[in-house]
Amino acid sequence: MILKGFKELTHYLEQPRNIVIIGHKNPDGDSMGSTLGLKHYLDKKGHNCTVLVPNEYPNFLHWLPGSETTYRFDWQNSQSQKAITSSDIIFLLDFNALHRVGDDMQKTLEKYQNDFVLIDHHQQPDDFSFMYSDVEICSTSQMVYQFIEMNHDLELIDVAIATCLYTGIMTDTGSFRFRSTTSKTHRIIADLIDKGAENDRIHNNVYDANTYNRLLLLGKALTNLKVLEEYKTAFITLTNNEKNSYDYQKGDSEGVVNYALSLKGIVFAAIFIEDIEQNLIKISFRSKGNFSVNQFARNHFEGGGHDNAAGGKSTLSLQETVTKFISLLPKYASELKFSYEK
Ligand code: 5GP
Ligand code: MN
């Protein structure tokens, strides 16, 4: 755990400030939940906060309280730039290095003259003036709760804050089932429910908001599932044509990789998704046990993340990317064999 400059930050925040809060590119539930949760809290403390979202985020997160107040950096660029220029301090949430916000936004942030505060649970964070980094915590949303707790402000948590933080914790823990889910996580979740988070409604909004096409795309993805039993590995591919056939929307492939990991005996799963717009293959990796997909993604696919959930990319074709992936597995054979089920 790294806690850097916390006292100075607390002192700095004793005066009302203009604050910008930013999550990572291709936002997920934790990125949106933690940034909006922190915004509601800091606004209540008398600050003026703006959440900037690097790019499009899934429809199943648009209902989050405060979502309508955010600016999209790619679409609402002048408002976003203005918010950054007039801010006293910027909070960076749920990512560990500036390149995780995308090229354009990264360039803007690199020119920023004031301080950054990092609150994040990813491995190997870059250095910033103020930092709260803990790779042991399941989600940045739980860290925002603990940040509020460190400030002795738990009584300020209202329905909006509780709802945002609950959502982030729920999505980043696979609904409280990953190893990173601790008894403390459950105690925090219990407190968030006491403070007004409606667990059934949140779950319904996030997980039971499928379109018919999204389910058909899942069906297609499952027919593309390949198993490499020898390496306890399974992977899925989705071509651009397949995505188009089912009117692909942002977020439609979220969670699909977990189906590959749900196969009995599988400890390593991947999904390779063709992205014609960005001219690359977006990859998600998941694992069970000790096999670190963070290291695997860092070493071979320009990515990173956590030990059991990471992402990366490839500029090869889809087929070439899959071939490269398969060719890497023999090197990890024994690690994969003994990762989980000995
Ligand atoms: P997902 O597979 O759901 O996109 O991402 C899984 C985890 O890996 C998330 O915590 C996400 O922030 C991280 N991640 C995804 N893509 C990348 C990437 O390209 N680089 C790095 N460093 N982390 C990533
Ligand atoms: Mn997260």
Side-chain angles (χ1 to χ4, degrees), residues 24 28 30-31 94 121-122 138-140 172 306:
H24 57 79
D28 58 8
D30 191 29
S31 180
D94 201 33
H121 67 139
H122 291 88
C138 65
S139 57
T140 302
D172 251 29
H306 312 284

